[in-house]
Amino acid sequence: MTHVPPPAEELRLIDTELWQLDARRAQLLARRAWLVAHLPSLSQPSPVPPTALPAPHGPEATAPRVQNVLLLLGGLLLTIAAVAFTLVSWGHLGIAGRSLVLGAVTVAALAAPLPLLGRGLRSTAEAVAGLALALTVLDAYALHAVALTGVDATGYAAGASAVLAAVWTGYGRVPRTSTLRLPLPAALTAAQLPLLLGAVAADAGRYGITGALLVTAACDTAVALRAPAGPVRITATVGAYGMGAWGVLGAARLSWTADGPGAGALAAVLLFFAAGTALAAAWRGRAAGHAVGLSVAVGLLAVAALGGIVHPVLPVAWLVPAHLVLGTALLAAIRAVRLPEPVRRGLVLASAAVQGLAVLWALPLPTLTLLGPAGWTARIWSGTPGGAREAVSADAPWLSQLLTAPLVLAAVAAVLALAVRATTWRPRALMGALALGWSALMAVPVVLDAPYPAVLVVELLATAALLAAGSWSRVTESGGPLPALVLALVTSVSLAFLSLPTRSATVGVLTALTVLFGAASLGQRLVIVAVPAALGYGTALACAVGTAAGWAPEHTALLVLVVPAVAALSAARATDARTALVTEVTGAAAGLLAIGLAVGDPAMLSLTLSLSAVIAAGTAVRADRRPAACAATALFALAAWVRLAAWGVTAPEAYTVPASLPALLIGALRRHRDPRVSSWVAYGPGLAATLLPSLAAAWTDAHATRPWLLGAAALLVTLVGARHQLRAPLLLGGGVLVLDALHELAPYLVQIAGFLPRWVPPALAGLLLLAVGATYERRLRDVRRVRDVLGRMS
């Protein structure tokens, strides 16, 4: 045992060691100083300290990796040499020599891994074993090329692959070589070929070849389920998925192209065999993810198998409903049989996939039903359609193969409503059921080719029912009123287009839609969408009524103005700010439409603008809509201008004065309430609106009446500004007065300039500069005084 000294003794030993280390360090430092003093090359410090030198690079490849690469290259080179010998040098030897060489080399290669494993050279043994397996393949080829040339190549390949698989399996099971990882995966790879090649050699046909693929996949599945984790399981799994997918695709093609129930039944047997294999793998699978995926495949294969039996005897329109029934029955079978959770989940997903594909197949029919009537916009009021199909497919081809689409949509809607009970998915399922049931209802009259009025009635009743459902729905169960409201809007738009073929239908449908959405807006749950919809359909109704009555567009505009008036009243009664805003925006859009309709007649346009201004002024009465007064003023001004233009008035004052007077009055009221408001804000717009256009007209007017009147008005404005110390009237009036005076003096100045010699203007300019320079300081003081006076004005 190790001797541990007492603490005092241990302390003495440590002190002795430290003293010896100090003495040795002093001796080394003294020797280093002597060397530095006697060797000049060492007296200079090294430019790069030792710690700054780059560290040497480590090896880029580890020893095991180098070993594996060398072994792999060596095995490949030996294999290539053996192939070259077999294919090139084979003919130079006799039968005995050939057999002796290949046999000896193969036996040696098979036996070599034994001593290598005994010496612990496992990697080398693996490389040699791979060479030995390759040599056995060459032996099989050589045997066929020399001794069995008359045997069918495909049949011989099937037998040889079976023999090689057996030999390699036995070689991998020998106790001394069982630690090698290559023989068993190689045997499993060779085992993929015997059944497939044997079926091809026996001319078993498509059914036989497909069966061989599926049986091989089943064998791979069994191996994968029994083998431990490692190369064997990986190889078996890859083989099972690969051969199984190949076989399933072949069986599905046989089922789809079967020309009778018998052929469909044979294909169904193959599909059921594949489904059974997948079910066994899912039932005994170790990973839940694989089990769910395999169970999905089981459900789809079962549906495809049963559907393939009835496929040859059913019309095209009933193929998808038949598969949908099978998918729904699969869901019922899941509930009746106790299954592991991953398997049950996968089968549920398979049933959902079948139903989803069926819905995708059926969707073109409701899409045509909803979007097809838009084609009547190019042929409005052209005549009553012959039936529902002609009504919805105005410019689109009829889809005769989708006659059973309503049944498919209704069935899936029923499944969603009845089968989904989970709390999380229940609201979504109810929303989906509502949408699918609505799609089925829209498509039923089209499938039955009902009379045109019946289609209108069905869609109108559907709109009313959806609005009622939106009013009564509970958020916790069906996602609130939004889904039903969206469907009601879509249905109403389709119905509005569907009513375009005849005049009476258009007016009647638009009236009904306006009333429906107006009634729906009485409730608080739908008001934010129902009110704009009602106003929109009311606008369309006004246009339709005016057109049906033979009115000109400008007269129809007066009828359209009823909608903005109703919108203003509705917005005033709205309790929600968003609802009020949406309502006002819709009313404004209707007002713009009315103005656009009245553009062709100036008199009616003026009246339309005036009525629009009245509506805007009524809106501005509300405290939160004061900015609407600006719109009302602008509309009034536009109405007056349009009326003046219709009367042939060209004087700008006739257009500007009616706008300036209210603006000045509003500015005076604002300054009276708030004296801090600047005169530019209060009076600037009103004064500029009249003075500036009049000034522009005065400069181009050959008569003196307008300039004299403008000068008088500008003088009055300037005096008022000076009297009340208002900057805007003073500067605007004074500026206009000066420019107007210059305009009046311009002819005389031109005459004077014509009589003066050419040297007079430069001389006058020089004298002016001298005068300004002489009194520069006083002039600056005067300018500052004027600036201060203006600054004290408001």
Side-chain angles (χ1 to χ4, degrees):
M1 297 178 65
T2 303
H3 172 68
V4 179
E9 180 65 18
E10 185 177 1
L11 180 62
R12 187 184 65 79
L13 292 175
I14 290 174
D15 290 340
T16 302
E17 292 289 338
L18 290 176
W19 179 83
Q20 292 176 355
L21 289 174
D22 291 339
R24 180 59 178 169
R25 185 173 184 277
Q27 181 182 1
L28 292 175
L29 289 175
R31 181 61 179 172
R32 182 181 182 279
W34 184 86
L35 291 173
V36 170
H38 290 80
L39 295 178
S41 61
L42 295 179
S43 61
Q44 299 294 330
S46 177
V48 180
T51 57
L53 294 176
H57 293 288
E60 295 184 356
T62 60
R65 183 175 299 177
V66 174
Q67 168 190 312
N68 293 335
V69 172
L70 294 177
L71 292 176
L72 178 61
L73 292 176
L76 289 176
L77 291 176
L78 289 175
T79 303
I80 293 172
V83 171
F85 169 77
T86 304
L87 298 178
V88 178
S89 301
W90 183 262
H92 299 291
L93 300 176
I95 296 295
R98 299 170 186 174
S99 303
L100 181 61
V101 170
L102 271 182
V105 173
T106 303
V107 171
L110 290 173
L114 299 177
L116 292 174
L117 289 173
R119 293 178 176 271
L121 303 176
R122 181 184 180 124
S123 299
T124 307
E126 292 280 359
V128 175
L131 175 62
L133 298 181
L135 288 175
T136 57
V137 177
L138 293 177
D139 289 339
Y141 167 77
L143 181 62
H144 181 265
V146 175
L148 302 174
T149 54
V151 179
D152 178 61
T154 305
Y156 178 79
S161 59
V163 172
L164 289 175
V167 171
W168 293 349
T169 301
Y171 184 70
R173 293 291 185 179
V174 174
R176 295 288 300 275
T177 59
S178 60
T179 57
L180 295 175
R181 286 184 280 183
L182 186 60
L184 291 180
L188 192 57
T189 303
Q192 309 300 311
L193 301 177
L195 291 178
L196 176 61
L197 296 178
V200 174
D203 196 14
R206 295 183 299 170
Y207 288 91
I209 294 174
T210 304
L213 290 171
L214 294 176
V215 171
T216 304
C219 295
D220 291 334
T221 302
V223 174
L225 292 175
R226 294 176 60 87
V232 175
R233 183 192 292 181
I234 294 174
T235 305
T237 303
V238 172
Y241 278 113
M243 302 297 282
W246 190 2
V248 165
L249 290 177
R253 186 174 182 274
L254 292 174
S255 177
W256 187 255
T257 59
D259 53 0
L266 290 177
V269 171
L270 296 175
L271 291 173
F272 274 123
F273 180 80
T277 303
L279 181 60
W283 202 291
R284 298 187 55 187
R286 300 177 178 89
H290 286 281
V292 172
L294 291 171
S295 301
V296 172
V298 169
L300 296 178
L301 289 173
V303 172
L306 295 175
I309 297 176
V310 300
H311 168 262
V313 298
L314 286 179
V316 177
W318 289 94
L319 291 179
V320 173
H323 286 80
L324 178 61
V325 170
L326 296 174
T328 307
L330 176 64
L331 191 63
I334 295 170
R335 294 180 175 274
V337 180
R338 186 176 182 85
L339 298 171
E341 179 60 24
V343 176
R344 190 189 68 81
R345 194 187 318 156
L347 294 178
V348 170
L349 291 177
S351 178
V354 173
Q355 297 177 54
L357 293 175
V359 169
L360 289 178
W361 172 83
L363 277 182
L365 184 58
T367 302
L368 175 64
T369 303
L370 295 172
L371 301 182
W376 289 102
T377 53
R379 295 182 293 161
I380 185 171
W381 296 352
S382 59
T384 305
R389 296 180 185 178
E390 182 182 351
V392 301
S393 58
D395 292 327
W398 169 245
L399 306 175
S400 58
Q401 69 275 16
L402 297 179
L403 293 178
T404 56
L407 293 178
V408 171
L409 297 172
V412 178
V415 171
L416 288 176
L418 299 177
V420 180
R421 295 296 180 183
T423 306
T424 305
W425 292 95
R426 181 66 177 172
R428 304 174 189 176
L430 291 178
M431 290 172 59
L434 176 63
L436 293 176
W438 165 78
S439 302
L441 179 62
M442 293 296 101
V444 166
V446 181
V447 171
L448 299 178
D449 199 13
Y452 175 65
V455 182
L456 297 178
V457 172
V458 169
E459 293 202 5
L460 184 61
L461 292 178
T463 304
L466 289 169
L467 289 175
S471 300
W472 298 336
S473 61
R474 289 183 295 175
V475 177
T476 56
E477 290 188 359
S478 60
L482 182 60
L485 185 56
V486 170
L487 295 179
L489 287 174
V490 174
T491 308
S492 64
V493 171
S494 176
L495 178 59
F497 283 117
L498 192 62
S499 67
L500 294 179
T502 63
R503 187 171 308 179
S504 58
T506 302
V507 175
V509 166
L510 291 177
T511 303
L513 291 178
T514 304
V515 172
L516 275 179
F517 281 95
S521 64
L522 298 178
Q524 294 297 322
R525 307 190 68 184
L526 308 180
V527 62
I528 192 171
V529 177
V531 169
L535 295 175
Y537 286 122
T539 304
L541 175 61
C543 295
V545 169
T547 306
W551 295 354
E554 53 270 18
H555 294 95
T556 305
L558 298 178
L559 188 60
V560 174
L561 281 178
V562 176
V563 176
V566 174
L569 295 175
S570 300
R573 293 179 62 254
T575 57
D576 185 10
R578 294 182 303 169
T579 304
L581 179 61
V582 173
T583 304
E584 290 169 349
V585 170
T586 307
L592 291 177
L593 176 61
I595 294 172
L597 291 174
V599 167
D601 188 347
M604 295 303 299
L605 178 59
S606 176
L607 179 59
T608 303
L609 290 170
S610 300
L611 294 177
S612 301
V614 171
I615 297 172
T619 302
V621 172
R622 295 163 50 194
D624 57 340
R625 291 293 185 268
R626 297 301 187 202
C630 299
T633 304
L635 290 172
F636 274 125
L638 287 175
W641 295 348
V642 171
R643 174 58 66 181
L644 292 172
W647 287 340
V649 177
T650 58
E653 292 79 10
Y655 297 90
T656 57
V657 171
S660 296
L661 293 178
L664 292 174
L665 179 60
I666 293 174
L669 292 176
R670 186 173 181 183
R671 276 187 59 84
H672 178 71
R673 293 180 180 179
D674 187 4
R676 294 173 298 177
V677 176
S678 171
S679 63
W680 286 109
V681 177
Y683 304 119
L687 294 175
T690 296
L691 294 177
L692 297 182
S694 297
L695 179 63
W699 273 79
T700 58
D701 194 351
H703 303 284
T705 303
R706 176 178 281 111
W708 281 100
L709 292 177
L710 176 63
L715 178 61
L716 179 61
V717 170
T718 304
L719 294 176
V720 170
R723 171 67 179 80
H724 296 282
Q725 296 185 350
L726 299 175
R727 189 182 307 172
L730 179 62
L731 295 181
L732 281 174
V736 171
L737 181 61
V738 170
L739 293 176
D740 185 65
L742 287 177
H743 170 264
E744 292 301 306
L745 295 176
Y748 303 101
L749 294 177
V750 171
Q751 291 179 1
I752 293 173
F755 290 112
L756 292 176
R758 294 181 179 273
W759 56 267
V760 173
L764 293 177
L767 292 175
L768 178 62
L769 292 176
L770 288 175
V772 171
T775 59
Y776 183 73
E777 183 178 0
R778 186 164 58 86
R779 300 306 178 194
L780 286 179
R781 187 170 61 252
D782 295 339
V783 169
R784 292 192 188 98
R785 185 180 297 110
V786 173
R787 185 191 62 185
D788 294 338
V789 171
L790 291 176
R792 287 193 295 270
M793 294 183 180
S794 59

